[in-house]
Amino acid sequence: MKAINAEIIGVGTELLLGQISNTNAQWLSEQLATKGIGVYYHHVVGDNHKRLLDVFKLAARRSDLVFVTGGLGPTDDDLTRETLAEFVGKPLCQNEQALADLEYFFKRTDRDMTENNLKQTMVIEGAQIIRNHAGTAPGMIVPFQDCHFIIMPGVPNEMKTMMKEQILPSLSEMLKLHDVIVSRMVKFIGIGESQLEMRVKPLIDQQSNPTIAPLATEGEVALRVTAKAHTKLEADELINQTLAQINDYVGEYIYGYDEESISDVIVKWLSEHHKTLAAAESLTGGRFADAFVSVLGAGHVFNGSLVSYTADAKAGALGVQQATIDREGMVSKQCAYEMAKRAKELFNASYGISFTGVAGPDPLEGKEVGTVYICLYTDSDNYIIEQFSFPKSREIVRNRSVKKGLQLIYDKLIRQ
Amino acid sequence: MKAINAEIIGVGTELLLGQISNTNAQWLSEQLATKGIGVYYHHVVGDNHKRLLDVFKLAARRSDLVFVTGGLGPTDDDLTRETLAEFVGKPLCQNEQALADLEYFFKRTDRDMTENNLKQTMVIEGAQIIRNHAGTAPGMIVPFQDCHFIIMPGVPNEMKTMMKEQILPSLSEMLKLHDVIVSRMVKFIGIGESQLEMRVKPLIDQQSNPTIAPLATEGEVALRVTAKAHTKLEADELINQTLAQINDYVGEYIYGYDEESISDVIVKWLSEHHKTLAAAESLTGGRFADAFVSVLGAGHVFNGSLVSYTADAKAGALGVQQATIDREGMVSKQCAYEMAKRAKELFNASYGISFTGVAGPDPLEGKEVGTVYICLYTDSDNYIIEQFSFPKSREIVRNRSVKKGLQLIYDKLIRQ
């Protein structure tokens, strides 16, 4: 059976102005992957007749399934319906069902229907109509030569409802799809992208199903394992075999799977071990605390953080010795040590962690921009202080500091 | 004069599998819009040589500027560099600067450089090199016939750093070939999008140069004013006339211009008035402090924040009366009042602001998810407590709380 290849076209000038993100394309791609339909392109074009026509032409040449979202609204700059009709050489005609649905929609939502809404009841002759139970514009499946255009509204929940309730079921039917694709993410900490790829290269090279692909995002690396099979059960089986192999090769660097974040793992570990954490933040300025408070259930294990951005706050509110600040400076091993110790004491936690450094743009106390000290403190016999030197961009220094702090906790408390 | 048109190509199979969203395209579109550069297409393609080549061909035919993100990694499935070299018919050669930067990067981050990293020091002959201060792969500006390819890493913070620090400035150079386009953002607080649009509609309708475009992004509204002229002086003059008109229409809601954030304005005001601010954060969990520490020079006016996520931390580290928490609850006017008061005292600041509420997913103390109290405290005779009820999504509740806190400070201290 020939593999089905699809592309997703987003229509709307607001996408090209960056006012909204094309989340429809991501969601559709995920859905189609699980059906074993390969998405080869995303394309975004504005509300412009000529460019829209060009994009349709290209799609018809290169794809079996063309999913189009947006441009079905009632206003004059919504051109998807008219332009596709022109492209496939079919007239638009009013659809009774669509008209009935539209009238019912306005009755139900108790709003007045305006003249231009009637435009939304016009459909392409010969198209299969997809009723819209969440809005006013019906969708359509329009066959053209060897491919099918699937036209949907741009409003995410209208599009998603149509896909789930009507289009995906009839697609499997229409295309006699057999394969299921299952994909999992393996997440790593403490190893770089290139190192990881070298270590697992034999695995990557020796197998084609499941496939293994390295991914790098914001200071984190992962492996994407994707399996294709006739049933979900078989696909899961294949995936699990590969996960076991990956574990043999680089298991010591795996911290989690799929949506799991390092903070999730740390929160889970802390609650299982009935431990608590507190922080003292200088350059990270609350961003470390934020990483925890974002995690559900963090309230039981993350006692709090004291953001002491100024020297006065470090000495006053936090209680670092003034002598330490005068002698060693705010950006120093000793200051990091006292900050972590005070965080633990102040919030009555099992562990205290501290961040102090130079976010820039200018050097501080003779220390280069990017110099950061992080201390993890349990008691006066158990603590660790690490020094880092990050790239010289303020936001990056602050983000990397938070990541390194999470990694430090993971390495010292959880990994062994 | 021919208007500059751009397109944005995202490279990466993970985008087509829907594992990550193409946020780079949205960010780039916003940036280019502010430069008055029209983005006509977004295109996403996988790590596939032939399809990548096709996409480059198409882009060269239809666009003046082609921004490409992704596919510059060290691994075998990263093909952007090689494929573009083949397309423009130029060899790849090792770049000394890139090699030096790469070696320095690994030395600084004290990681081992592997063989395959060297691939990232290969650049296309004749390309302008964009140094990567945040990662390992340099970017490139590659001229081809009438257009320019701008190649960047897919990791958002590496791409953004390159754009802001190196590419956007040198773009203006390229644009000198044509008319000068000047664009300014007018930023508003305390007025909704539709309301703003209605108030300035006459202005928008009556003029085409400068153009006025409303923008709405996560709880903030702005107007983008874009003027085209033969010289920057003329363009600036046109812009200033329009800014004056906008000021007549809705001046009372303008808080700043261009990159200026509300935190910037507050920091500026505080330092001019020799005042300082401190915070006590419960549900915002450090996110409010982060908004200030992100601002350069905040160190002199933002004394700090105490993130007290638990009841113990509120009573212990922060010093809210236990009786208050027992009687009124943590999510109450009284608790918000004491938190703000203690923040001011603890950090010895002119003003204290506090955030307490229910981020969800479950109700707390019988209060609905989304219930938030914010208190701004100067002294026992001067304070204000506001209650909000936000949509029931954890992240939205936390972000809106931060925005409302900033707005509260702006309204009470600065607006009059």
Side-chain angles (χ1 to χ4, degrees):
Chain A
M1 156 205 157
K2 173 177 169 299
I4 306 278
N5 68 75
E7 83 175 88
I8 298 165
I9 297 172
V11 183
T13 302
E14 66 277 17
L15 289 161
L16 296 176
L17 285 170
Q19 288 166 356
I20 59 174
S21 172
N22 188 11
T23 55
N24 286 342
Q26 180 184 14
W27 187 85
L28 282 166
S29 298
E30 273 182 303
Q31 297 297 313
L32 294 171
T34 64
K35 291 281 177 187
I37 297 172
V39 174
Y40 286 0
Y41 305 94
H42 296 170
H43 216 164
V44 173
V45 61
D47 303 301
N48 172 284
H49 172 262
K50 184 190 171 307
R51 290 192 283 273
L52 199 47
L53 202 55
D54 290 342
V55 166
F56 287 156
K57 274 184 201 148
L58 174 65
R61 270 207 310 277
R62 67 186 183 182
S63 304
D64 305 315
L65 295 177
V66 183
F67 294 83
V68 183
T69 60
L72 296 182
T75 68
D76 292 345
D77 61 1
D78 293 296
L79 301 169
T80 298
R81 199 179 287 104
E82 295 74 3
T83 309
L84 185 63
E86 175 187 341
F87 175 61
V88 301
K90 294 274 180 68
L92 283 168
C93 46
Q94 186 165 65
N95 180 273
E96 288 316 312
Q97 181 65 69
L99 181 58
D101 286 348
L102 187 72
E103 281 161 346
Y104 176 68
F105 176 86
F106 278 97
K107 194 158 143 293
R108 197 185 58 205
T109 57
D110 186 27
R111 285 161 45 198
D112 297 335
M113 189 168 103
T114 58
E115 208 31 57
N116 56 9
N117 281 114
L118 286 175
K119 174 181 167 184
Q120 300 186 294
T121 65
M122 302 300 284
V123 302
I124 293 171
E125 186 183 271
Q128 175 187 335
I129 305 308
I130 311 296
R131 294 174 63 181
N132 186 341
H133 302 307
T136 56
M140 289 175 254
I141 297 181
V142 184
F144 176 73
Q145 294 171 356
D146 300 338
C147 77
H148 289 80
F149 282 80
I150 295 109
I151 308 299
M152 296 174 285
V155 180
N157 75 23
E158 295 182 28
M159 180 277 290
K160 291 176 183 175
T161 312
M162 281 188 185
M163 276 297 285
K164 281 185 278 190
E165 294 176 0
Q166 301 173 77
I167 296 171
L168 283 175
S170 67
L171 267 187
S172 315
E173 192 40 42
M174 197 166 92
L175 306 168
K176 316 235 173 318
L177 297 174
H178 300 309
D179 289 350
V180 179
I181 285 190
V182 176
S183 184
R184 287 205 72 184
M185 289 271 260
V186 190
K187 299 180 140 188
F188 295 86
I189 186 169
I191 184 170
E193 182 185 14
S194 46
Q195 266 171 299
L196 177 63
E197 202 236 1
M198 303 266 281
R199 295 272 299 263
V200 295
K201 199 167 190 322
L203 261 182
I204 295 180
D205 295 345
Q206 92 198 16
Q207 61 179 38
S208 58
N209 186 30
T211 57
I212 304 173
L215 293 179
T217 55
E218 306 279 330
E220 270 201 35
V221 292
L223 289 176
R224 186 185 63 241
V225 181
T226 310
K228 190 182 242 176
H230 290 313
T231 68
K232 181 160 188 323
L233 203 68
E234 289 174 55
D236 288 336
E237 185 56 37
L238 287 168
I239 294 251
N240 291 334
Q241 286 163 15
T242 304
L243 292 185
Q245 288 174 301
I246 291 172
N247 195 53
D248 293 340
Y249 278 72
V250 283
E252 68 269 36
Y253 297 106
I254 297 173
Y255 80 77
Y257 296 88
D258 301 325
E259 293 313 302
E260 225 169 353
S261 73
I262 301 175
S263 335
D264 292 326
V265 175
I266 294 173
V267 166
K268 191 156 160 288
W269 184 89
L270 288 170
S271 30
E272 282 168 4
H273 293 70
H274 309 290
K275 300 288 189 187
T276 56
L277 176 70
E281 307 185 58
S282 183
L283 83 160
T284 50
R287 199 167 285 186
F288 179 80
D290 192 28
F292 277 92
V293 177
S294 301
V295 177
L296 296 185
H300 306 298
V301 297
F302 186 73
N303 291 5
S305 174
L306 193 137
V307 179
S308 56
Y309 196 49
T310 61
D312 289 353
K314 286 185 182 69
L318 184 54
V320 170
Q321 297 175 56
Q322 188 62 51
T324 305
I325 295 172
D326 298 340
R327 200 177 56 249
E328 311 281 336
M330 290 190 286
V331 183
S332 64
K333 277 196 161 61
Q334 185 58 30
C335 188
Y337 172 85
E338 288 188 31
M339 285 172 70
K341 184 169 181 294
R342 288 297 302 141
K344 172 197 159 82
E345 293 164 354
L346 193 61
F347 291 98
N348 184 26
S350 322
Y351 311 102
I353 187 166
S354 67
F355 300 82
T356 183
V358 190
D362 306 315
L364 182 66
E365 300 172 349
K367 303 275 201 322
E368 269 208 6
V369 175
T371 309
V372 174
Y373 293 94
I374 302 177
C375 175
L376 178 62
Y377 179 95
T378 311
D379 59 50
S380 55
D381 298 325
N382 299 287
Y383 63 88
I384 173 159
I385 307 172
E386 289 194 354
Q387 175 176 355
F388 300 93
S389 156
F390 295 120
K392 300 195 178 350
S393 144
R394 187 176 176 83
E395 277 309 283
I396 294 168
V397 173
R398 302 183 62 222
N399 284 326
R400 294 285 171 85
S401 300
V402 170
K403 283 232 153 71
K404 284 296 180 185
L406 294 168
Q407 187 171 335
L408 186 62
I409 294 171
Y410 185 86
D411 290 341
K412 299 308 157 198
L413 302 181
I414 302 176
R415 175 160 285 157
Q416 26 279 24
Chain B
M1 153 225 165
K2 176 173 160 304
I4 303 264
N5 68 75
E7 84 176 86
I8 298 165
I9 298 172
V11 184
T13 302
E14 64 274 19
L15 289 161
L16 295 176
L17 284 167
Q19 286 167 347
I20 59 174
S21 172
N22 189 13
T23 55
N24 286 341
Q26 180 185 15
W27 186 86
L28 282 166
S29 299
E30 269 183 301
Q31 297 297 313
L32 295 171
T34 65
K35 289 272 173 192
I37 297 171
V39 175
Y40 285 1
Y41 306 94
H42 296 171
H43 217 164
V44 173
V45 61
D47 304 302
N48 173 285
H49 173 262
K50 185 193 170 306
R51 289 192 284 272
L52 199 47
L53 203 55
D54 290 342
V55 166
F56 287 157
K57 275 185 201 148
L58 174 64
R61 269 206 310 276
R62 67 186 182 182
S63 303
D64 304 315
L65 297 175
V66 183
F67 294 83
V68 183
T69 61
L72 296 182
T75 67
D76 290 345
D77 60 1
D78 292 298
L79 301 170
T80 298
R81 200 181 284 104
E82 295 73 4
T83 310
L84 184 64
E86 175 186 340
F87 174 61
V88 301
K90 292 272 178 73
L92 284 168
C93 45
Q94 187 167 64
N95 179 271
E96 289 315 315
Q97 181 65 69
L99 181 59
D101 286 349
L102 186 72
E103 282 162 345
Y104 177 65
F105 177 87
F106 278 97
K107 190 159 144 295
R108 195 185 54 206
T109 57
D110 130 67
R111 284 162 45 196
D112 298 334
M113 187 168 104
T114 57
E115 250 332 284
N116 55 8
N117 279 114
L118 287 175
K119 175 180 167 186
Q120 300 185 296
T121 65
M122 304 299 286
V123 302
I124 293 171
E125 188 183 271
Q128 175 186 336
I129 306 310
I130 310 297
R131 295 175 63 182
N132 186 341
H133 301 305
T136 56
M140 288 175 253
I141 298 182
V142 183
F144 175 74
Q145 294 171 357
D146 301 337
C147 77
H148 290 82
F149 283 81
I150 295 113
I151 308 299
M152 294 173 286
V155 179
N157 75 31
E158 295 182 26
M159 180 278 290
K160 290 177 185 175
T161 310
M162 280 188 184
M163 276 297 284
K164 281 187 271 189
E165 294 175 0
Q166 301 174 76
I167 296 171
L168 283 175
S170 67
L171 265 187
S172 316
E173 273 303 303
M174 295 184 206
L175 299 182
K176 283 216 183 81
L177 311 165
H178 307 270
D179 274 2
V180 180
I181 293 159
V182 177
S183 184
R184 292 206 68 185
M185 287 272 254
V186 190
K187 299 181 142 187
F188 296 85
I189 187 170
I191 183 171
E193 184 184 16
S194 48
Q195 211 184 338
L196 175 65
E197 237 176 303
M198 275 173 46
R199 296 272 299 261
V200 296
K201 197 168 189 321
L203 262 182
I204 295 180
D205 295 346
Q206 90 196 22
Q207 60 179 39
S208 58
N209 186 28
T211 57
I212 303 173
L215 295 178
T217 52
E218 42 189 89
E220 271 202 36
V221 292
L223 291 175
R224 192 182 62 245
V225 181
T226 309
K228 205 175 285 180
H230 292 306
T231 68
K232 179 159 190 323
L233 199 68
E234 291 173 54
D236 288 336
E237 220 150 84
L238 287 168
I239 294 250
N240 292 333
Q241 287 161 16
T242 303
L243 292 185
Q245 289 173 301
I246 292 174
N247 195 51
D248 293 340
Y249 279 72
V250 282
E252 68 270 35
Y253 297 106
I254 298 173
Y255 79 77
Y257 296 87
D258 302 325
E259 292 310 299
E260 219 168 0
S261 70
I262 301 176
S263 339
D264 291 325
V265 174
I266 294 173
V267 165
K268 192 154 158 289
W269 184 90
L270 288 170
S271 30
E272 282 168 4
H273 294 71
H274 309 291
K275 300 289 189 186
T276 58
L277 177 70
E281 306 185 60
S282 182
L283 83 161
T284 51
R287 200 168 283 186
F288 179 81
D290 192 29
F292 277 93
V293 177
S294 302
V295 177
L296 296 184
H300 306 299
V301 297
F302 186 73
N303 291 5
S305 174
L306 194 138
V307 179
S308 56
Y309 195 49
T310 62
D312 290 353
K314 286 184 182 67
L318 183 55
V320 171
Q321 298 174 55
Q322 188 62 51
T324 304
I325 295 172
D326 298 340
R327 200 179 52 248
E328 310 282 335
M330 291 190 287
V331 183
S332 64
K333 277 195 161 59
Q334 186 57 29
C335 188
Y337 172 86
E338 287 187 32
M339 285 172 70
K341 184 169 180 295
R342 288 296 302 141
K344 171 196 160 82
E345 293 163 355
L346 192 63
F347 291 98
N348 184 27
S350 323
Y351 311 102
I353 186 167
S354 68
F355 300 83
T356 184
V358 190
D362 306 316
L364 182 66
E365 301 173 349
K367 302 275 201 321
E368 283 265 318
V369 174
T371 308
V372 174
Y373 295 93
I374 303 177
C375 176
L376 176 62
Y377 179 95
T378 310
D379 59 51
S380 54
D381 299 326
N382 298 287
Y383 64 86
I384 172 157
I385 307 172
E386 289 195 353
Q387 175 176 355
F388 300 94
S389 130
F390 295 121
K392 297 187 177 8
S393 141
R394 188 175 174 82
E395 277 308 284
I396 293 172
V397 173
R398 302 184 61 223
N399 284 326
R400 294 279 176 85
S401 301
V402 170
K403 284 231 152 72
K404 284 295 181 187
L406 294 168
Q407 188 170 335
L408 186 62
I409 295 171
Y410 184 87
D411 290 340
K412 300 307 159 199
L413 302 180
I414 302 177
R415 195 188 288 279
Q416 33 275 26

